[in-house]
Amino acid sequence: MESSGLPLFERAERHGDRVATVASGRAYSYRDLLDASAAIACRLLDGADDLNEARVAFLVPPAFDYVATQWGIWRAGGIAVPLGVSHPGPELEHAIVDADASVVVAHPSLSERVAGIAEARGARLLITQEDRPSGEELVARPSAPRLPLPNLKLPRPQLPRLSPDRRAMILFTSGTTSRPKGVVSTHGNIQAQVETLVAAWAWSQEDHVLLVLPLHHIHGVINVLSCALWSGARCTIYPTFNAETVWGELVGGDLTLFMAVPTVYSRLIAAWEAADPKQQRETSEGCRRLRLMVSGSAALPVRVLERWRDISGHTLLERYGMTEIGMALSNPLEGERRPGHVGLPLPGVEVRLVDDEGVVVPRGIPGEIEVRGPSVFREYWRRPEVTRDSFRDGWFRTGDVAVVEDGYHRVLGRSSVDILKTGGYKVSALEIEEVLRTHPAIEECAVVGKEDEEWGERVCGALVLRPGASLSREELRSWAAERLAPYKVPSEVLMVVDLPRNAMGKVTKSEVKKLF
Ligand code: MLC
Ligand code: AMP
């Protein structure tokens, strides 16, 4: 078959019979992945010779099907738009409509959630073959065509040749604007994001990584999955995080790497503390067999780092990144990993700290992190003005503030109070407020983040109800859960008579925070 021209797939050909992924207890080789993705690419092409950057949205839980679908979209010349499996209808609809997807691929267990959206838009709906545990009943679903099974040999036309500047993926990210915007990365961006981590953290084909993160965000997609598959390594995939399962893999398996958000480490610590002494000893010994454990996506509390070191013997390697830029700063693999710090620029990534005017700040003075290099994304999807405003002289403005101390960067926080990080997910207070305001009982509201050891921040909502209206916390939460991803639903809700405002009548978020 004609090669796609992309090194990822050429490398996979060389890794052939090595195990690429383990999911639902079954191992799949690189050859399985190449065969399945080629067959999916052919089905997507449907006789055409190139998808020419058509958007293919896919709602597939983390497993072999996810990877085969992602590769299939890429190999057909499409843009992969992964959807959040925990997302309710309105979030899925926003992504599908905003990306202007012409094809929607869904796992059979999830297809009903997107079938109506696809139909309303006239988009093609395709269903993946499911990795079903035996005995599970088939659910009723639309009679959409099935994507081919992994080893099904279909007659294959030539797949398109792709250049690195082709758009490859759209990941949705919350910003200060009301709805999430699509971050477009090219194949070249993705390659640069992967290569810098492979070099810095010494990935090799001997590695075996555990994936328990969602696959609609960069941490799971790039740092774990794509780095593993680029390296010829093995990736064991679970559809969701569960502390007991992770401990089981750490004790009984041959993992070499683990990467997660701070909340996951907090959960693992809690599970360890609840275990009996024998289990504690076994799990601690299991951890010591790994060569590296990484934390990122949110600030790692020093207390968590220290507790994890006591339990596992590992000093977590903390790094800093963002959907738009991949990873930018990292503590070293060899050498000092300094608690509370995110280290130095990764190979090939330029980082500078600037003041409000864009002037580089002297050492020791806080400044906004700006990033430049081949791993920086191409654009926000169909938002040329937002894209333009996000760059200054070719540097991407992250909105994060940091300071350099003794050569290492320390992240001090975000420049906007309206961007929260909860469980490693970025959420926009403004987006949540806009949705809450559509509730008939709500007159006004303000959403803020409350600092929290386990979640980083908790989403908190202060509500002013309309005269005579009543609304309980539970009613609000279940109403919001139908409209917002679970991690955006306020976990704390407070009814207030009025919101604190400044002389100009603007809500003062710092005062709202004090209410919680
Ligand atoms: C869930 N709950 C929350 C919550 N999420 N409460 C407060 N804040 C949140 N964010 C509640 C649930 O409603 C539930 O309550 C209870 O907590 C337990 O829920 P759960 O379902 O067990 O939580 P879980 O799904 O296990 O979530 C924890 C998690 C998850 C840490 C595994 O949040 C996660 O996968 N986070 C990773 C996100 C990620 O990949 N981010 C990277 C973005 S990329 P109840 O009452 O129902 O029991 C990026 C760039 C970079 O940031 O640098 O990497
Ligand atoms: P996202 O927009 O979901 O890609 O999340 C990126 C954001 O996560 C960054 O802009 C930072 O605010 C935050 N972040 C990532 N890693 C770290 C870290 N190690 N410490 C503090 N914040 C981090």
Side-chain angles (χ1 to χ4, degrees):
M1 194 192 325
E2 170 75 5
S3 128
S4 68
L6 293 179
L8 174 65
F9 305 118
E10 281 158 16
R11 295 170 69 94
E13 294 281 355
R14 292 203 296 277
H15 297 303
D17 293 330
R18 296 184 65 83
V19 173
T21 66
V22 178
S24 312
R26 196 175 147 189
Y28 298 87
S29 67
Y30 281 86
R31 170 76 17 233
D32 291 333
L33 200 43
L34 285 165
D35 286 347
S37 59
I40 290 171
C42 292
R43 180 54 80 74
L44 290 171
L45 284 165
D46 202 20
D49 52 14
D50 191 335
L51 286 184
N52 286 314
E53 299 189 345
R55 275 74 57 211
V56 182
F58 61 116
L59 183 63
V60 182
F64 176 78
D65 300 22
Y66 176 102
V67 194
T69 304
Q70 182 201 53
W71 282 28
I73 296 165
W74 284 346
R75 298 179 84 191
I79 302 181
V81 187
L83 302 172
V85 290
S86 67
H87 288 187
E91 294 256 13
L92 297 171
E93 184 169 15
H94 169 71
I96 293 168
V97 171
D98 192 82
D100 193 11
S102 53
V103 185
V104 178
V105 176
H107 185 270
S109 65
L110 301 172
S111 62
E112 263 134 284
R113 285 211 236 149
V114 285
I117 303 168
E119 192 186 353
R121 296 184 39 78
R124 255 171 100 198
L125 178 68
L126 296 168
I127 309 293
T128 61
Q129 294 285 347
E130 62 194 318
D131 258 325
R132 222 165 358 117
S134 58
E136 193 185 306
E137 289 297 318
L138 279 178
V139 289
R141 59 174 158 270
S143 54
R146 291 295 195 97
L147 287 171
L149 273 168
N151 294 320
L152 191 63
K153 303 273 186 236
L154 290 181
R156 286 177 198 151
Q158 289 203 336
L159 295 174
R161 276 193 76 76
L162 307 170
S163 63
D165 58 354
R166 277 270 199 133
R167 293 176 181 83
M169 183 159 69
I170 296 180
L171 296 176
F172 279 86
T173 189
S174 292
T176 40
T177 50
S178 65
R179 299 309 316 261
K181 42 192 195 292
V183 174
V184 181
S185 306
T186 63
H187 287 287
N189 296 147
I190 292 174
Q191 185 175 330
Q193 291 171 0
V194 167
E195 281 183 318
T196 189
L197 294 183
V198 167
W201 300 343
W203 277 87
S204 82
Q205 62 175 26
E206 305 310 324
D207 277 315
H208 180 186
V209 70
L210 182 61
L211 173 61
V212 292
L213 295 172
L215 285 180
H216 62 297
H217 282 303
I218 195 165
H219 194 161
V221 178
I222 298 294
N223 298 24
V224 184
L225 184 63
S226 302
C227 283
L229 298 179
W230 176 269
S231 305
R234 175 187 302 208
C235 184
T236 290
I237 307 176
Y238 282 92
T240 52
F241 166 73
N242 171 290
E244 283 68 38
T245 320
V246 172
W247 277 127
E249 287 286 341
L250 289 169
V251 173
D254 56 356
L255 296 175
T256 63
L257 289 170
F258 184 67
M259 303 187 187
V261 300
T263 307
V264 162
Y265 289 105
S266 294
R267 291 275 186 92
L268 290 172
I269 291 170
W272 187 91
E273 283 169 350
D276 63 44
K278 180 169 170 283
Q279 286 174 320
Q280 289 182 340
R281 217 174 25 255
E282 285 170 1
T283 46
S284 293
E285 279 164 14
C287 285
R288 287 182 168 76
R289 287 198 287 272
L290 274 70
R291 71 170 182 87
L292 176 65
M293 296 182 134
V294 180
S295 173
S297 300
L300 175 67
V302 173
R303 261 167 50 111
V304 175
L305 177 142
E306 286 170 350
R307 189 74 189 111
W308 188 255
R309 187 162 50 198
D310 296 340
I311 290 173
S312 70
H314 284 269
T315 301
L316 289 171
L317 182 156
E318 185 174 8
R319 57 46 176 194
Y320 159 89
M322 194 175 182
T323 309
E324 287 88 335
I325 57 172
M327 299 303 114
L329 296 161
S330 172
N331 275 285
L333 180 66
E334 309 288 348
E336 185 198 5
R337 295 184 197 159
R338 198 180 300 165
H341 292 72
V342 291
L344 298 154
L346 282 156
V349 184
E350 289 178 85
V351 175
R352 66 179 195 180
L353 302 184
V354 298
D355 65 16
D356 290 346
E357 273 69 53
V359 178
V360 173
V361 296
R363 286 255 148 160
I365 303 294
E368 181 182 350
I369 304 175
E370 292 192 342
V371 179
R372 190 167 72 172
S375 56
V376 175
F377 76 128
R378 161 107 160 229
E379 67 201 340
Y380 292 113
W381 178 245
R382 292 187 178 165
R383 284 172 173 84
E385 282 171 22
V386 183
T387 306
R388 211 180 40 235
D389 293 346
S390 306
F391 286 85
R392 179 162 29 206
D393 307 328
W395 292 79
F396 175 71
R397 309 166 67 172
T398 62
D400 290 307
V401 177
V403 64
V404 177
E405 295 170 339
D406 293 332
Y408 278 36
H409 290 74
R410 183 157 69 88
V411 178
L412 299 173
R414 305 269 324 170
S415 51
S416 165
V417 287
D418 288 317
I419 300 290
L420 321 182
K421 267 274 166 165
T422 178
Y425 286 109
K426 177 153 98 177
V427 307
S428 157
L430 304 182
E431 177 193 355
I432 300 168
E433 288 165 6
E434 197 147 301
V435 171
L436 297 184
R437 273 191 216 105
T438 65
H439 191 290
I442 296 177
E443 170 124 355
E444 238 333 316
C445 65
V447 169
V448 293
K450 175 183 163 184
E451 279 188 29
D452 184 89
E453 171 96 357
E454 182 181 4
W455 294 102
E457 285 177 293
R458 269 179 183 277
V459 179
C460 298
L463 312 179
V464 179
L465 298 186
R466 289 189 193 283
S470 75
L471 183 66
S472 71
R473 172 184 178 271
E474 283 63 40
E475 283 167 344
L476 174 85
R477 279 175 48 82
S478 59
W479 178 88
E482 288 170 20
R483 292 158 178 84
L484 291 165
Y487 42 87
K488 298 178 185 172
V489 174
S491 59
E492 285 184 37
V493 179
L494 204 64
M495 308 301 170
V496 295
V497 178
D498 214 348
L499 294 171
R501 293 175 192 274
N502 63 16
M504 313 289 288
K506 198 174 171 298
V507 173
T508 39
K509 291 269 170 116
S510 53
E511 293 300 317
V512 178
K513 272 192 181 196
K514 288 183 193 157
L515 298 174
F516 292 91

